[in-house]
Amino acid sequence: MRKSAILLLLMCVCFGVNAQSIEPANTEATEYVSNSKTDYRFGYDMNPTMDALRIEDAGIIKLDGFINEAIWATAPVATGFTQRSPNDGSQATQKTEARILYTDKEIFVSIMAYDTAPDSIIASLFRRDGNESSDWVYASFDSYNDKRTAFTFAVNPRGVQKDVLYFDDQGEDILWDAVWEASAKITDQGWSVEMRIPLSQLRFSSKDDIKSWGVNFQRRIARNQEFNFWAPTPQNESGMVSKFGRLNGIRDLEEPRRLEVIPYTSSILERAPGNPNNPYYEKNDLQANIGGDIKYGLTSDLTLTATLNPDFGQVEADPATINLSQFEQFFPEKRPFFLEGSEIFRFGGTKTMNSFGNPNTFYSRRIGRAPQGSLSRANNYSGNGLYDPNTSDEVYTNVPNQTSILGAAKLSGKTQSGLSVGALYALTAEENSPFTAIGNSGSQKGEFVVQPSNNYLITRLKQDFNSGNTVVGGYFAGMNRDIDGTYFEEYLNKSAMISGLDFEHSFKDRTYVISGTASVSNIIGTTDAITRAQRAPQRYYQRVDSDELSVDANKTSLSGLATELSFQKAGGDHWKWSVTGSMVTPGYETNDIGFQNRADYRAINTGLEYAERNPKHFQFYVFWLFSNNAWNFDNDQIGRNYNTGAFFELKNLWSFNYNLNANFDTYSDRFTRGGPVFKMPGSFSFNFNVTSNRNKKVSGGFGQFHRNDRVGEYDHYYWGFMTFRPTTFMQLTISPEIGVQNDVDQYISTRARDAAANDEDLTYGNRYIFSDIRQANFSAQFRLNWTFNPKMSLQTYVRPFIAAGKYSNLKEFNKPGDFGFDVYGQDKGTATVNADGSTTIDPDGSGGEAPFTIRKQDFNVRSLQGNAVFRWEYRPGSTLFLVWQQQRSGFSPNGEFNFGRDFQNLFDPEPTNVFLVKLSYWFGT
C-alpha cells in the first residue's frame, strides 16, 4: 500500500496534474498513444465520485461569486477535468474546481475556473439563455438516477444564467426554465461562480435516507473552443447523462412542497390602418388581460403546470414569406408555455442520421390557431339567411387574429421506476364575430361563429429498462370540435385521434441503437369533410392515373398507419452509420393535431459518416454520405437522391462546410394537384458556408446555394452574416440573403375539358395549366441587443423582405408520366393579353371549346417587420416586459424586382404598431 501511494505521488509530481476525482484521489495514471501523440489522462475512472457536504445554515453563504466563505474550504473538490474537444481525452488546459454544499431546501455549487490568462476570458453580457460567444461553467444533476435525464445549470463570467434539460441521454431542451440564483466574479486567478439551486427545481424521491445522484461539471473555454468535463464524455461514445459521475452523501432530504404561482397582467394598444367606413375599425384599440401560470408538485415525481388565459404578446412575429405551393407553411412554436417541456411529447421518429421524415404527430400551434370560418361560408350554409349578398354592396366583420385559449394544463415527470409521463390538455374558446352588410335598402347586422370550441389531449408514456438502455413508449393524441349542426361540418373534421407505440434499445455501451415507431390515425366527420380530406394535397385520392387510390364520397372516417425502423451505429472512433425504413399509408392524417405535408410513401434511407477528432491540421473534420429512395403505393419512385458533404473546423476556429446533392429523375404525384403523374427532371445542387471565429469582436460568414436541372431551371442564393460586439454588453448582427430562381413548371390551375374540344385529350379530360416564373427575393435581419445587467436587457429586431415573381408562357401539360408542355399561342391555341393584365386562352384555337381567362399572376411583395423587447427579471421568476412591434406590408402586381425602388418603398405603407406592457410575479419556494 505504501509503495503504491508513493508511486502515485511521484507520478502526479512528474506530470503536474491533479487526479480526476475528489482530492486527494486514490487513482492511478494511465498513458496511452493515439494518433501518434501521447495523451495523459489522470483519474481515468469514467464515472468518478464525490461527496456533498451538508450545512445547517444557508445564511453562511453570501451569493456574491467570491468563494471566500470558510465552509467552502472544507467541502470535497471535483477537479482534474478532461477535454471532449478539441483534443478528446486530453487533460484540460486550465484547472477547474467544483464543490457542492446543501441544506434541506437548496443546493449550493461553487466553481473556480482558474485561468493563466485572465485577460483572455471571453465574458460577454447578454440576456438569460442566450447563445453569444462566452466562457461557461455547468453543473448537471441526474436526480432521477435514470442515466437519461439531467437538470443543468450554467453561468458565464458575467453572471448570465442558462438552464438546460437533458433528455434521452443526449437531447437538449434549452427552453426549460428553472427559478434559481447565481453570481460570478472575474479575479486575477480566473473567474468564480456561486449558484443557489432550490431543491424544488429538481425531481427526486425521499424514499432513501442516503441518496446517490448522477452529477457532472462542464467548463467551456471559448477562445480555443475547449469543452471540458469532470466525468469524461468521449466523442467516440454515444450518450451524455449515462457518462455522469456520482454525487454521494446526500442525507435526510424531504421532498419539497413544489407550488409556484405566476399571475400576470398586461395591457396592449394596437394602432393599425383601416377603413374608416368599417363600423368595427378603431384606430386605437386598447385591451387589457389578466391570467397566470401555476406549477404544482402532485408527487415527488409529477408536476402539474397550468395556464389560464395566457398572453403571448412578447413573442416575436412570424417572418413574411411567399408560398406558391399547395402545402401549408411550417412555422416553429415560439410561445413559452408550449415550448417548455415539449420534449416529453416527441413521438414518431427514430434514432437515425437520415430519414424521409415522418409526419409530426403534435404541432402545438394548432392550439389557438387563426379562426377557420368565414362569413361567406356561414351565409351560404344558412341559405343567405344572415344577409342578402345580392343587395349588399359592402360587408364588414370583426374576426380576431387568433383563437383564445381559455386554459391549458400539462402533467409531466418521471417516476423512480423509470416511467416518464406527459399529458397536455387545452381548451380554446368559441370565437364569434359581428357583421354589418350595407346596401341601398339599408344595413343588416348580426353575429356568426368564426371558430368552434376545440379541446386537445396529448398523452405520452415512456418506460426505461436495463439502466436506461431500453425504452418502450406509448402515445395518444385526440382533438374534438364542437361543430354539430354548423357550417363547419362541411369542411372540418369533428374529431381526430393518433395512437402509437415506439421503442429504443441500445447495446455495446450505447454504441448501437435499434429504434422503431408505429402509429395509427383516425379522423371522423361528415361525408363532405372526409371527402375533402381524401382530396387534400397530403394524399390526392382523386389522382386520375392511380391504381391504388380513389375517392369514396360516402366515407365518414379516414384512417392510416405510419411506421419507421432504424438501426444506427451511434458511437465509434471514426465511422458511424444508420439504415432507416419508413412507411406512411395514404390515409394517415395528423393535421388537426400535428403537421403533415404528405402521406402515401415507402422509403429507405442510409447515412454514413467518417469523423477525425484530432487531426494534425484541423480541430476536427467530418465527411458524410446520405442516400434516399422512396416510392408511393402505386410504386412510382418519388425520391431518389444522393448527398455527400463535409465540415471542417480549423485550428484558428474558422469553419467550412459543403454539400453536393444529386437528384435523379423521379415522379411527382403532387405536381398536377390530383392529375396524372409528372416526371421531375433530375438536378444537381451545391452549397457551402464559410464562418470565421465567432469569439472575435467582429465575426461573420457567407454561403451560397446553386441548383440546376436538365430542363433549364435554376436557383441561386447568396447569404452572409456579420456580428459586431463593440462592448461586452452590446451585440449587433446583420444577416442578408438574396436569391433568384427560374422555374418552367409553376402550377396555375386545372380546367375541365369542354365536350366540344376538338384537340387530342392526353390528360384524362382535364387541362393542367402551368407557366414559367422568374423570381427574385431579398431579406435581411438586423438584431441589436443591449444588456444592462444579467437581469435586464433590450432586444431589437428589424427584417425587411422583398419578393417579386414574373409569370410567362402559359402552357398545358401534355405528357402524363413524363415531362412536356404545349405553350398556348405557340404550340396550340391562342393566348391574348387583356388590358387588365389577364390572359384569355382559346385552348384549341378555332375549335369548339370555349375560351377561358387566367388572371394576372405577377406579384411584388414588400414587408418590413420590427420589434423591441425590454425584459427585466426584477426578482427571480418575476418579469416586466415592455414591447413594441411594427409591421408594414405592400403589394403591387408588376412582377419586376428593383432593389433600390422596392427597398425605398418599404416605408410607404402605413404601419401597424403594437405596444404591450406585461408584468408577472413569481410566488414559490
Side-chain angles (χ1 to χ4, degrees), residues 585-603:
T585 64
Y588 193 77
E589 168 65 25
T590 71
N591 275 316
D592 288 301
I593 306 168
F595 188 94
Q596 177 184 2
N597 270 345
R598 79 159 291 148
D600 184 18
Y601 65 82
R602 291 169 290 197

PDB file of all heavy atoms in Angstrom, residues 585-603:
ATOM      1  N   THR A 585     -49.072   5.135 -44.850  1.00  0.00           N
ATOM      2  CA  THR A 585     -50.137   4.760 -45.774  1.00  0.00           C
ATOM      3  C   THR A 585     -50.912   5.997 -46.223  1.00  0.00           C
ATOM      4  O   THR A 585     -50.875   7.043 -45.566  1.00  0.00           O
ATOM      5  CB  THR A 585     -51.086   3.749 -45.128  1.00  0.00           C
ATOM      6  OG1 THR A 585     -51.750   4.375 -44.012  1.00  0.00           O
ATOM      7  CG2 THR A 585     -50.325   2.513 -44.649  1.00  0.00           C
ATOM      8  N   PRO A 586     -51.626   5.908 -47.344  1.00  0.00           N
ATOM      9  CA  PRO A 586     -52.292   7.100 -47.882  1.00  0.00           C
ATOM     10  C   PRO A 586     -53.288   7.745 -46.928  1.00  0.00           C
ATOM     11  O   PRO A 586     -53.464   8.966 -46.967  1.00  0.00           O
ATOM     12  CB  PRO A 586     -52.993   6.563 -49.143  1.00  0.00           C
ATOM     13  CG  PRO A 586     -52.167   5.402 -49.563  1.00  0.00           C
ATOM     14  CD  PRO A 586     -51.702   4.764 -48.286  1.00  0.00           C
ATOM     15  N   GLY A 587     -53.951   6.969 -46.071  1.00  0.00           N
ATOM     16  CA  GLY A 587     -54.988   7.542 -45.217  1.00  0.00           C
ATOM     17  C   GLY A 587     -54.495   8.166 -43.938  1.00  0.00           C
ATOM     18  O   GLY A 587     -55.295   8.703 -43.159  1.00  0.00           O
ATOM     19  N   TYR A 588     -53.202   8.142 -43.690  1.00  0.00           N
ATOM     20  CA  TYR A 588     -52.668   8.695 -42.442  1.00  0.00           C
ATOM     21  C   TYR A 588     -52.814  10.210 -42.452  1.00  0.00           C
ATOM     22  O   TYR A 588     -52.467  10.879 -43.420  1.00  0.00           O
ATOM     23  CB  TYR A 588     -51.204   8.302 -42.301  1.00  0.00           C
ATOM     24  CG  TYR A 588     -50.629   8.542 -40.927  1.00  0.00           C
ATOM     25  CD1 TYR A 588     -50.901   7.681 -39.871  1.00  0.00           C
ATOM     26  CD2 TYR A 588     -49.796   9.624 -40.688  1.00  0.00           C
ATOM     27  CE1 TYR A 588     -50.352   7.885 -38.618  1.00  0.00           C
ATOM     28  CE2 TYR A 588     -49.246   9.843 -39.442  1.00  0.00           C
ATOM     29  CZ  TYR A 588     -49.523   8.971 -38.410  1.00  0.00           C
ATOM     30  OH  TYR A 588     -48.979   9.186 -37.165  1.00  0.00           O
ATOM     31  N   GLU A 589     -53.323  10.765 -41.354  1.00  0.00           N
ATOM     32  CA  GLU A 589     -53.633  12.199 -41.309  1.00  0.00           C
ATOM     33  C   GLU A 589     -53.399  12.732 -39.900  1.00  0.00           C
ATOM     34  O   GLU A 589     -53.951  12.207 -38.924  1.00  0.00           O
ATOM     35  CB  GLU A 589     -55.079  12.452 -41.723  1.00  0.00           C
ATOM     36  CG  GLU A 589     -55.606  13.846 -41.448  1.00  0.00           C
ATOM     37  CD  GLU A 589     -54.895  14.929 -42.244  1.00  0.00           C
ATOM     38  OE1 GLU A 589     -54.338  14.618 -43.320  1.00  0.00           O
ATOM     39  OE2 GLU A 589     -54.890  16.081 -41.795  1.00  0.00           O
ATOM     40  N   THR A 590     -52.576  13.791 -39.782  1.00  0.00           N
ATOM     41  CA  THR A 590     -52.273  14.368 -38.464  1.00  0.00           C
ATOM     42  C   THR A 590     -52.549  15.857 -38.377  1.00  0.00           C
ATOM     43  O   THR A 590     -52.328  16.460 -37.323  1.00  0.00           O
ATOM     44  CB  THR A 590     -50.787  14.143 -38.106  1.00  0.00           C
ATOM     45  OG1 THR A 590     -49.963  14.974 -38.936  1.00  0.00           O
ATOM     46  CG2 THR A 590     -50.384  12.693 -38.264  1.00  0.00           C
ATOM     47  N   ASN A 591     -53.024  16.503 -39.421  1.00  0.00           N
ATOM     48  CA  ASN A 591     -53.026  17.964 -39.454  1.00  0.00           C
ATOM     49  C   ASN A 591     -53.995  18.636 -38.502  1.00  0.00           C
ATOM     50  O   ASN A 591     -53.911  19.852 -38.312  1.00  0.00           O
ATOM     51  CB  ASN A 591     -53.289  18.451 -40.884  1.00  0.00           C
ATOM     52  CG  ASN A 591     -52.016  18.514 -41.697  1.00  0.00           C
ATOM     53  OD1 ASN A 591     -50.989  18.987 -41.222  1.00  0.00           O
ATOM     54  ND2 ASN A 591     -52.056  18.006 -42.916  1.00  0.00           N
ATOM     55  N   ASP A 592     -54.913  17.901 -37.902  1.00  0.00           N
ATOM     56  CA  ASP A 592     -55.765  18.517 -36.882  1.00  0.00           C
ATOM     57  C   ASP A 592     -55.022  18.668 -35.559  1.00  0.00           C
ATOM     58  O   ASP A 592     -55.395  19.498 -34.729  1.00  0.00           O
ATOM     59  CB  ASP A 592     -57.030  17.676 -36.657  1.00  0.00           C
ATOM     60  CG  ASP A 592     -57.989  17.772 -37.828  1.00  0.00           C
ATOM     61  OD1 ASP A 592     -58.421  18.893 -38.142  1.00  0.00           O
ATOM     62  OD2 ASP A 592     -58.294  16.721 -38.426  1.00  0.00           O
ATOM     63  N   ILE A 593     -53.974  17.857 -35.367  1.00  0.00           N
ATOM     64  CA  ILE A 593     -53.211  17.862 -34.119  1.00  0.00           C
ATOM     65  C   ILE A 593     -51.737  18.145 -34.391  1.00  0.00           C
ATOM     66  O   ILE A 593     -51.087  18.859 -33.642  1.00  0.00           O
ATOM     67  CB  ILE A 593     -53.340  16.512 -33.389  1.00  0.00           C
ATOM     68  CG1 ILE A 593     -54.808  16.158 -33.181  1.00  0.00           C
ATOM     69  CG2 ILE A 593     -52.580  16.519 -32.069  1.00  0.00           C
ATOM     70  CD1 ILE A 593     -55.031  14.731 -32.723  1.00  0.00           C
ATOM     71  N   GLY A 594     -51.221  17.581 -35.473  1.00  0.00           N
ATOM     72  CA  GLY A 594     -49.811  17.711 -35.805  1.00  0.00           C
ATOM     73  C   GLY A 594     -49.610  18.501 -37.079  1.00  0.00           C
ATOM     74  O   GLY A 594     -50.371  19.421 -37.395  1.00  0.00           O
ATOM     75  N   PHE A 595     -48.561  18.141 -37.825  1.00  0.00           N
ATOM     76  CA  PHE A 595     -48.257  18.831 -39.075  1.00  0.00           C
ATOM     77  C   PHE A 595     -47.785  17.794 -40.077  1.00  0.00           C
ATOM     78  O   PHE A 595     -46.885  17.008 -39.795  1.00  0.00           O
ATOM     79  CB  PHE A 595     -47.161  19.883 -38.871  1.00  0.00           C
ATOM     80  CG  PHE A 595     -46.932  20.750 -40.066  1.00  0.00           C
ATOM     81  CD1 PHE A 595     -47.576  21.969 -40.179  1.00  0.00           C
ATOM     82  CD2 PHE A 595     -46.075  20.363 -41.085  1.00  0.00           C
ATOM     83  CE1 PHE A 595     -47.371  22.782 -41.287  1.00  0.00           C
ATOM     84  CE2 PHE A 595     -45.862  21.150 -42.191  1.00  0.00           C
ATOM     85  CZ  PHE A 595     -46.514  22.371 -42.292  1.00  0.00           C
ATOM     86  N   GLN A 596     -48.392  17.807 -41.276  1.00  0.00           N
ATOM     87  CA  GLN A 596     -48.103  16.789 -42.276  1.00  0.00           C
ATOM     88  C   GLN A 596     -48.260  17.373 -43.671  1.00  0.00           C
ATOM     89  O   GLN A 596     -49.288  17.972 -43.987  1.00  0.00           O
ATOM     90  CB  GLN A 596     -49.064  15.600 -42.100  1.00  0.00           C
ATOM     91  CG  GLN A 596     -48.931  14.504 -43.120  1.00  0.00           C
ATOM     92  CD  GLN A 596     -49.986  13.417 -42.936  1.00  0.00           C
ATOM     93  OE1 GLN A 596     -50.846  13.519 -42.060  1.00  0.00           O
ATOM     94  NE2 GLN A 596     -49.917  12.381 -43.738  1.00  0.00           N
ATOM     95  N   ASN A 597     -47.239  17.180 -44.507  1.00  0.00           N
ATOM     96  CA  ASN A 597     -47.316  17.634 -45.896  1.00  0.00           C
ATOM     97  C   ASN A 597     -47.603  16.519 -46.881  1.00  0.00           C
ATOM     98  O   ASN A 597     -48.058  16.784 -47.990  1.00  0.00           O
ATOM     99  CB  ASN A 597     -46.028  18.350 -46.302  1.00  0.00           C
ATOM    100  CG  ASN A 597     -46.081  19.839 -46.032  1.00  0.00           C
ATOM    101  OD1 ASN A 597     -47.151  20.391 -45.811  1.00  0.00           O
ATOM    102  ND2 ASN A 597     -44.937  20.479 -46.032  1.00  0.00           N
ATOM    103  N   ARG A 598     -47.338  15.265 -46.500  1.00  0.00           N
ATOM    104  CA  ARG A 598     -47.727  14.186 -47.398  1.00  0.00           C
ATOM    105  C   ARG A 598     -47.832  12.873 -46.641  1.00  0.00           C
ATOM    106  O   ARG A 598     -47.202  12.669 -45.600  1.00  0.00           O
ATOM    107  CB  ARG A 598     -46.792  14.048 -48.581  1.00  0.00           C
ATOM    108  CG  ARG A 598     -45.476  13.356 -48.376  1.00  0.00           C
ATOM    109  CD  ARG A 598     -44.921  12.858 -49.725  1.00  0.00           C
ATOM    110  NE  ARG A 598     -45.722  11.778 -50.266  1.00  0.00           N
ATOM    111  CZ  ARG A 598     -45.924  11.539 -51.555  1.00  0.00           C
ATOM    112  NH1 ARG A 598     -45.391  12.323 -52.469  1.00  0.00           N
ATOM    113  NH2 ARG A 598     -46.664  10.524 -51.973  1.00  0.00           N
ATOM    114  N   ALA A 599     -48.664  11.996 -47.185  1.00  0.00           N
ATOM    115  CA  ALA A 599     -48.753  10.595 -46.792  1.00  0.00           C
ATOM    116  C   ALA A 599     -48.386   9.779 -48.034  1.00  0.00           C
ATOM    117  O   ALA A 599     -47.817  10.303 -48.990  1.00  0.00           O
ATOM    118  CB  ALA A 599     -50.156  10.268 -46.301  1.00  0.00           C
ATOM    119  N   ASP A 600     -48.716   8.475 -48.026  1.00  0.00           N
ATOM    120  CA  ASP A 600     -48.579   7.648 -49.230  1.00  0.00           C
ATOM    121  C   ASP A 600     -47.118   7.510 -49.681  1.00  0.00           C
ATOM    122  O   ASP A 600     -46.738   7.970 -50.751  1.00  0.00           O
ATOM    123  CB  ASP A 600     -49.451   8.238 -50.346  1.00  0.00           C
ATOM    124  CG  ASP A 600     -49.451   7.383 -51.617  1.00  0.00           C
ATOM    125  OD1 ASP A 600     -49.085   6.205 -51.529  1.00  0.00           O
ATOM    126  OD2 ASP A 600     -49.799   7.926 -52.685  1.00  0.00           O
ATOM    127  N   TYR A 601     -46.281   6.899 -48.834  1.00  0.00           N
ATOM    128  CA  TYR A 601     -44.916   6.629 -49.287  1.00  0.00           C
ATOM    129  C   TYR A 601     -44.296   5.483 -48.499  1.00  0.00           C
ATOM    130  O   TYR A 601     -44.689   5.167 -47.384  1.00  0.00           O
ATOM    131  CB  TYR A 601     -44.032   7.878 -49.169  1.00  0.00           C
ATOM    132  CG  TYR A 601     -43.789   8.385 -47.768  1.00  0.00           C
ATOM    133  CD1 TYR A 601     -42.799   7.822 -46.952  1.00  0.00           C
ATOM    134  CD2 TYR A 601     -44.524   9.455 -47.261  1.00  0.00           C
ATOM    135  CE1 TYR A 601     -42.571   8.296 -45.682  1.00  0.00           C
ATOM    136  CE2 TYR A 601     -44.294   9.932 -45.992  1.00  0.00           C
ATOM    137  CZ  TYR A 601     -43.320   9.354 -45.200  1.00  0.00           C
ATOM    138  OH  TYR A 601     -43.090   9.826 -43.934  1.00  0.00           O
ATOM    139  N   ARG A 602     -43.305   4.885 -49.126  1.00  0.00           N
ATOM    140  CA  ARG A 602     -42.403   3.914 -48.504  1.00  0.00           C
ATOM    141  C   ARG A 602     -40.992   4.337 -48.876  1.00  0.00           C
ATOM    142  O   ARG A 602     -40.732   4.662 -50.043  1.00  0.00           O
ATOM    143  CB  ARG A 602     -42.694   2.502 -49.011  1.00  0.00           C
ATOM    144  CG  ARG A 602     -44.029   1.955 -48.543  1.00  0.00           C
ATOM    145  CD  ARG A 602     -44.418   0.693 -49.249  1.00  0.00           C
ATOM    146  NE  ARG A 602     -44.767   0.940 -50.645  1.00  0.00           N
ATOM    147  CZ  ARG A 602     -45.438   0.076 -51.395  1.00  0.00           C
ATOM    148  NH1 ARG A 602     -45.818  -1.075 -50.896  1.00  0.00           N
ATOM    149  NH2 ARG A 602     -45.708   0.363 -52.664  1.00  0.00           N
ATOM    150  N   ALA A 603     -40.091   4.362 -47.899  1.00  0.00           N
ATOM    151  CA  ALA A 603     -38.765   4.920 -48.152  1.00  0.00           C
ATOM    152  C   ALA A 603     -37.704   4.112 -47.436  1.00  0.00           C
ATOM    153  O   ALA A 603     -37.955   3.511 -46.388  1.00  0.00           O
ATOM    154  CB  ALA A 603     -38.708   6.384 -47.703  1.00  0.00           C
TER     155      ALA A 603
END
